[in-house]
Amino acid sequence: TASPGHLLTGGEDGRLALFRVKDWECLHVLRHKYPISGIAVHPSGKVAITVGKGRSLRLWNLMTGKQALKGRAPCEPLSVSFSPGTGKYYAILGEQSIAVFATEGSGDDEDKPVVVAKSKTRLAVMTWLGQDTEDEMAQGSLQLLVAGEGTIIQNVHLPGDAAPGELGPFLECPKDLMGPRIKGLAIVDDVASADGLAGKRLQAERRSESPGSHILIAASSSGMIAGWHLSAHGQEERNGKRSKTVIGESQSGSSLS
C-alpha cells in the first residue's frame, strides 16, 4: 500500500496502478514497460520502486504520478523491499543472491550496493528483521532474512561488507515441518498479533517477553505455516545454525506459492 487509504498494484502487463481505497478510483496508471515482479513503497508513502523482467528498475514519485528515475537491477529480480523505519535501504532479491542499496543513491547503474550476498540454494522470499534506526544499526540488529529451496532461513546484517559473500545460516526449520521449500516469510512484532494464525491460536509463552521481541512466521510449499519466537530464550546452536522451538503451526491444506 502507498498509504492506509491507497493501493498500488502491478502485473505482467507492465502497468502500475494507484487506487484510492474509499471509492476504488484509479488515480494514476504508470508504465514500467516490462512485466513487474516486485513493488516496494517507501515508508514515507511518497515514492515507490518497481522491478521486473530484463533487470528493469523504476523509481516513481507517487505525489506527482511520474517516473523519477530509471535503472537496472544487479540481477533478474524476484522482489524488492524498503527497510522498516525510515526506508534508508532497499533490497533486491534474485534467485541466488541479494543486493542492498542506500535509498539516497542516485538510482542509476553506477550505484554500488551496501551489501551483496550469494546463496548456494535458490531463493524465493525475503523479510526484514529490525528497524533502520541509529540505535538498532549501531547494535547490528537490522537484518535481512531470506529463504527458498530447503529448510534453512539465511540472513545478512546491515550495514555490511560490500564485497560479495555468502549468506549466513539464521534458523534451521525441521524438515518434516517446513520441507521442501519455504515460500513465505514475515515478521510479527508482537506475540499477541500471532494468535489466530490460519485460524489456529499460537500457543506462545508470555513469560518475561523482552521489548522488541518478534515472531518469525514461515510458510512452506507443503501448506504448513509455523511460527518461532525470536528471543534469546531457549536458543540452541546446532552445527552453527540456530534451532528454536516452534511455538505454533497450522496446515493450510493447500500448496502455497
Side-chain angles (χ1 to χ4, degrees), residues 2 26 31 36 55 65-66 68 86 151 157 162 171 242 244-245:
C26 184
R31 299 191 181 277
I36 297 171
R55 295 172 54 191
K66 295 182 179 180
T86 66
T151 58
H157 287 265
L171 176 66
R242 299 183 186 183
K244 298 183 178 66
T245 303

Side-chain angles (χ1 to χ4, degrees), residues 185-201:
L185 286 177
I187 294 293
V188 180
D189 294 326
D190 180 270
V191 173
S193 298
D195 288 348
L197 173 63
K200 189 173 183 180
R201 182 181 179 85

Side-chain angles (χ1 to χ4, degrees), residues 89-235:
Y89 302 104
Y90 66 93
I92 298 176
L93 180 71
E95 281 197 347
Q96 290 192 299
S97 66
I98 189 164
V100 183
F101 296 83
T103 303
E104 63 182 14
S106 63
D108 59 30
D109 294 343
E110 299 301 318
D111 276 355
K112 301 299 182 183
V114 176
V115 172
V116 175
K118 296 183 178 180
S119 173
K120 293 180 179 179
T121 56
R122 185 172 295 180
L123 303 174
V125 291
M126 66 175 168
T127 191
W128 293 88
L129 174 60
Q131 302 268 324
D132 60 8
T133 62
E134 290 186 7
D135 288 345
E136 294 206 27
M137 294 288 290
Q139 296 170 11
S141 299
L142 181 62
Q143 304 175 56
L144 259 174
L145 308 184
V146 297
E149 292 286 344
T151 58
I152 296 177
I153 298 173
Q154 304 177 84
N155 73 330
V156 61
H157 287 265
L158 276 89
D161 191 344
E166 291 185 2
L167 291 157
F170 178 78
L171 176 66
E172 184 173 13
C173 307
K175 292 182 180 180
D176 58 345
L177 180 68
M178 298 305 293
R181 292 174 293 278
I182 296 175
K183 304 293 288 185
L185 286 177
I187 294 293
V188 180
D189 294 326
D190 180 270
V191 173
S193 298
D195 288 348
L197 173 63
K200 189 173 183 180
R201 182 181 179 85
L202 287 175
Q203 300 302 316
E205 293 182 347
R206 286 169 169 77
R207 62 178 183 278
S208 64
E209 302 291 0
S210 59
S213 63
H214 305 280
I215 297 293
L216 170 63
I217 306 295
S220 77
S221 55
S222 66
M224 182 63 74
I225 304 172
W228 290 263
H229 180 217
L230 301 184
S231 72
H233 178 74
Q235 181 177 310

Side-chain angles (χ1 to χ4, degrees), residues 32-38 49-58 70-77 92:
H32 180 100
K33 186 178 179 180
Y34 301 98
I36 297 171
S37 60
I49 289 178
T50 54
V51 294
K53 190 174 181 179
R55 295 172 54 191
S56 54
L57 183 151
R58 305 288 186 269
K70 176 181 177 181
R72 280 172 60 82
C75 59
E76 194 66 24
I92 298 176

